[in-house]
Each structure stands twice: as structure tokens, then as C-alpha cells.
Amino acid sequence: RLGVERPEELRSSVPADMDQGLVGTIGYVTLPVTPESPGEVMLPVRGGTEAFSAFADERIAKYARIVVVECRSARSVTVTPA
């Protein structure tokens, strides 16, 4: 029904059209990523390029090519070197 809110536990923090849709996408690092703190990556989406917060289990230097392995939220991803 219109106007009815879904219970919080049923809502995804990732929009339905992006839910894991970025997994496998190749991009590049604009702010270094470390295990201790997120960085920033640029990814091709919707016909352009957009910035996302990026998390990784290892240090990834600026300008390195990366691949998305998980969507964490609408604006953050987990990456690994490509």
C-alpha cells in the first residue's frame, strides 16, 4: 500500500537498483584506502563517474585500479586491488 512504511529490519541501506550491482566494477582510488580508515574511489555509474567511500583489508595507494567486492551502503563499497 502507498504511504505504508516497511519495518526497519526489512529495509536495505542500499537502493534496490544498486543492491550489489556495483560488485565487479573496476575503478580507481582518489584517496588512499587503509585497513584503519576508509578512502575514496571513483566508479563508473549511470553514464558518469561518481565518488564512493571505500574500505579494504589492505593498503591501496592513490591512483591504483580497484575492483568492488561488496556494496556496504548506497555510497560505500569494499574493494580490492584489480
Side-chain angles (χ1 to χ4, degrees):
R1 296 182 317 193
L2 293 176
V4 175
E5 287 290 317
R6 292 175 58 191
E8 188 65 34
E9 65 271 10
L10 296 179
R11 283 190 229 151
S12 171
S13 61
V14 180
D17 65 332
M18 280 189 114
D19 191 17
Q20 302 304 317
L22 290 173
V23 172
T25 301
I26 303 273
Y28 63 94
V29 177
T30 53
L31 290 173
V33 185
T34 70
E36 298 82 29
S37 66
E40 182 183 79
V41 296
M42 297 298 284
L43 299 173
V45 277
R46 294 184 285 274
T49 305
E50 296 184 20
F52 288 79
S53 292
F55 296 82
D57 292 333
E58 61 188 287
R59 176 176 283 279
I60 307 175
K62 187 174 182 178
Y63 305 118
R65 281 176 34 115
I66 52 85
V67 62
V68 176
V69 294
E70 176 188 24
C71 291
R72 300 180 89 160
S73 73
R75 300 305 304 171
S76 65
V77 293
T78 302
V79 300
T80 191

